[in-house]
Amino acid sequence: MFRTALRNVLAHKARLLMTVLAVMLGVAFVSGTLVFTNTVSQAFQNSSAKGFDGVDVAVTPRHQASRGDQVGHNPELTEALLQKAAKTPGARSATGVVGGFTALAGKDGKLVGGGWQSAGGNYWGTDDPRYQLVSGRAPHGPDEIALDSKTAQRAGYKVGDKARLSVDGPVLTPRVSGVFTTDDGNVSAGGSLTLFDTPTAQTLFGKKGTYDEIDVKAAPGTSQSALKAALDKTLPTKLVETATGKKLADDQAEQIAEGMSGLKQVLLVFAGIALFVGTFIIANTFTMLVAQRTKELALLRAVGASRGQVTRSVLTEAAAVGVVAGVAGLAAGVGIGAGLRSLLGTFGAELPDGPLVIAPTTVVAALAVGVVITVLAAWLPGRRAAKIPPVAAMNSVHAKATTKSLVLRNTLGALFAGAGVAVVLAGRTMSTDTGQGVMGLGAVLLIIGVFVLTPLLSRPLIAAAAPALRMFGISGKLARQNSVRNPRRTAATASALMIGLTLITGMTVMAGSLQKSIDKMASAAISADYVVSMSTHGPLSPQVAEKIAAVDGVAASSPLRNAPSRIGGKTEFLTGVDGRSIGELTDLKMAKGSFTVDGTRIVVDEDRAKEYGWTAGSHLTVHYADGKAGQLTVAGVYEGNAMLRGIMIDNSTLTPHLSDPSDMQVMVKMKDGASAAAKDRIEKALGSNPAIAVQDKKDISDGVAKIFTFMLNLVYGLLGMAVIVAVLGVINTLAMSVFERSQEIGMLRAIGLERRSVKRMVRLESLVISLFGGVLGIGLGVFFGWAAGALIGAKMPTYELVLPWGRIALFLFLAALVGVLAALWPARRAARLDMLTAIKAE
């Protein structure tokens, strides 16, 4: 039986080719994901480990948690603590570390490193052991900086050039005094690192006379653990905590692995979708192969083969196919992993140097996935073949499913689909966190139900296409009849395409609806003409608000300033605003009281009011960040949203309690409204700073739209693999169907059906099956998009369902295109059949 199974594989190489390709693509997606994420993770881990080579023990502030009326804070690492650490027995030296965001502009005026990974720090003395100078000298004074070599090369700077940069808003133009090398992982990934001398860094990053961290180097003969123990005895452990360089490197490696695991899981989900779609192809292929070999299997049963042997022979064929697909998929996956790494480089996302990592688990996973998926998908056809009595198989009386089996299938499908709809609708009424899991379960149940019901649905839906097919004469009629001749086969083929279109349509509906709600929210909540913020949404210097207020044509402006406080034993963030102007800059609906912010009068959103039992006129005690207490009065309660919410207090009341005030953003209203000239005046007043974004409502909306568009394009790209697999499924089904119907096609040709009519028949059959899958997928996608969007937008009063009719029409067109393209080879093959040979075929 084993030899028979292998001979069958070799005898049906062409028919199994598409199955091998489908499984291979899924396995390649899985192995490529593992190779890529393991390679990147290992490269970053090695790079970060090098960064801790000069650190034997790191001393950091021990966070003091909020308790009672006191706001939590980090103790300061003073110069005295630094000197104490340096004099600890076993310590050779101690280095004070200061760092923060620093946006550097290249000579073209654009940000280097994309902003998010733009960092700044301090160069320790004249010979910092962390950074090796390759040209120039260490920076000295507020007018000098040092740049890492990669940043200097990307930005076009060399020693002696003047650079433009910003830490929290105002533009600085220091001179480049030196260029250094670094193993910093962010720099390797395309970021930038700018170094100042220590006093300048402390001033710029709000750490005058203090440090973020103290790195201690051990004396020769002293281990990291021994030095840590000595520092724990010397330093006040209630205020600081220590960690060895090895522990920091291990923690960093773990964080990198965790960060990559999120990306890995996302990619593996899409790989799983492609494999799931591939199971339809495998099941379809083996169902058709078993059907074609019915008499052969019956003969094996007649000469003594047991049911188990017949089933195992089919599964052996599947395992052989799985092994071939697994090996080919692993090889392709290694190429995909290497290609993805190179692709990131072309987009400017540079990665640290390192070898391509092909872990043993990747090899095992690739082979296991290929074999297990193929065998599982082939199990049902194999079991079904073994159950056919030999005599019945010889006479082919087993071909049609019994009424009992059809009733059972349709009943199960209806139960699953009904349960799925009910669970999705129930999840829609729950909270976002709880509802997501419930809705996911409902979606799985509904998809399973629809898949089980697809043979039943195929007849009426395909019948609806009959009027259009009549226009193609006999070819159209035959195509319709062929499409419904084997509903299960049609269902499996259409379902493969349905899965991909369900996800694509659902994401598109949800993204469009949320985009619309955010647009409306911005228009409803903000009446300001411009919102000014750091491009990375980092803190802004108060100087920015002062410069904007002095710009010609500004009617009103207000900085938004965040600060922690304690109210009723809980930590609450206060939003400081200009009480005189904020009313002109916002358009919030008041639920109670008036929108008055001045002195000790505040306004709060409905959520805070409900939580604390406040209403207009309520009095409360607040404990500020500096520990001082104050009495406030609620002047009004407003309807908060994602754009504006929380407790608003006048900056004149809040700022005296802040040691280093900074703003989140500045809202601006112009006398003559928004215009290109007004925006230009604001930007020039801020020194044409590339790190600062001056956005009107359209800019804000476009920024959100770009995020949604990027996410959608990413999803489309990842789901493209599943669609490709579905196309292979259509090709495979049609090709094997043509083989099955060789005698029938030969007879049609013999009685006068032309070659082009045969081609048209196969193409129309493919088109009908693809459109059937497309209609089901789009219908399910709209339903899921509506439900999921409503769940996420439950707290958005402006949420509304938006059906992207243009994209839906495009998806339907693409489904039709899939059908046309998938039929090219099978249709050509059918038309080229020799009619006499075909008539004699069994």
Side-chain angles (χ1 to χ4, degrees), residues 447-458:
I447 288 175
I448 292 173
V450 170
F451 168 64
V452 175
L453 286 173
T454 305
L456 179 66
L457 297 172
S458 64

Side-chain angles (χ1 to χ4, degrees), residues 310-336:
V310 171
T311 302
R312 285 194 294 273
S313 72
V314 175
L315 295 184
T316 300
E317 293 178 44
V321 171
V323 169
V324 173
V327 172
L330 175 62
V334 172
I336 289 173

Side-chain angles (χ1 to χ4, degrees), residues 368-557:
V369 166
V371 174
V372 171
I373 291 293
T374 311
V375 170
L376 286 178
W379 175 77
L380 190 59
R383 182 172 174 273
R384 192 181 296 138
K387 290 176 68 177
I388 302 170
V391 175
M394 288 291 192
N395 292 282
S396 299
V397 297
H398 65 286
K400 292 184 179 179
T402 63
T403 303
K404 181 181 177 181
S405 69
L406 291 175
V407 170
L408 179 62
R409 180 186 179 112
N410 294 338
T411 302
L412 286 174
L415 289 174
F416 270 101
V421 171
V423 172
V424 168
L425 293 178
R428 186 175 176 271
T429 62
M430 299 177 181
S431 64
T432 303
D433 293 336
T434 306
Q436 286 178 355
V438 173
M439 195 169 285
L441 173 63
V444 171
L445 291 174
L446 180 53
I447 288 175
I448 292 173
V450 170
F451 168 64
V452 175
L453 286 173
T454 305
L456 179 66
L457 297 172
S458 64
R459 290 188 179 277
L461 288 178
I462 291 176
L469 292 174
R470 286 197 193 101
M471 295 187 297
F472 297 95
I474 190 64
S475 296
K477 183 179 180 180
L478 290 171
R480 183 182 67 80
Q481 291 174 348
N482 289 333
S483 300
V484 296
R485 175 186 295 184
N486 191 328
R488 288 185 177 180
R489 184 186 303 168
T490 299
T493 306
S495 295
L497 190 58
M498 178 190 77
I499 299 297
L501 281 177
T502 295
L503 296 170
I504 289 173
T505 305
M507 290 294 296
T508 303
V509 170
M510 187 168 60
S513 300
L514 291 174
Q515 169 68 44
K516 182 70 173 178
S517 69
I518 291 173
D519 288 349
K520 291 176 66 177
M521 186 185 297
S523 300
I526 300 174
S527 57
D529 294 315
Y530 296 103
V531 174
V532 180
S533 63
M534 293 294 285
S535 58
T536 57
H537 304 287
L540 275 172
S541 167
Q543 295 178 33
V544 173
E546 294 171 6
K547 290 184 177 182
I548 289 174
V551 172
D552 182 38
V554 171
S557 65

Side-chain angles (χ1 to χ4, degrees), residues 194-328:
T194 306
L195 299 181
F196 309 86
D197 70 357
T198 299
T200 303
Q202 289 174 321
T203 301
L204 291 174
F205 300 128
K207 297 283 183 180
K208 288 186 178 179
T210 64
Y211 305 96
D212 294 319
E213 182 179 306
I214 297 172
D215 292 341
V216 186
K217 189 70 177 171
T222 304
S223 67
Q224 291 187 352
S225 56
L227 178 58
K228 180 182 182 303
L231 287 167
D232 287 340
K233 290 180 181 178
T234 305
L235 303 178
T237 54
K238 288 184 178 180
L239 300 179
V240 301
E241 53 187 347
T242 59
T244 63
K246 184 180 184 306
K247 176 70 164 52
L248 292 172
D250 291 343
D251 289 347
Q252 183 76 6
E254 187 176 340
Q255 290 176 11
I256 292 170
E258 287 178 2
M260 292 305 299
S261 70
L263 174 62
K264 183 187 295 184
Q265 288 172 9
V266 170
L267 293 175
L268 287 178
V269 165
F270 286 97
I273 292 169
L275 285 167
F276 180 63
V277 171
T279 59
F280 293 106
I281 301 175
I282 301 166
N284 238 5
T285 301
F286 278 92
T287 298
M288 296 169 79
L289 284 174
V290 167
Q292 291 167 14
R293 286 161 38 206
T294 298
K295 291 185 179 180
E296 174 191 327
L297 294 175
L299 184 59
L300 289 173
R301 289 291 311 282
V303 296
S306 66
R307 286 187 178 184
Q309 285 179 312
V310 171
T311 302
R312 285 194 294 273
S313 72
V314 175
L315 295 184
T316 300
E317 293 178 44
V321 171
V323 169
V324 173
V327 172

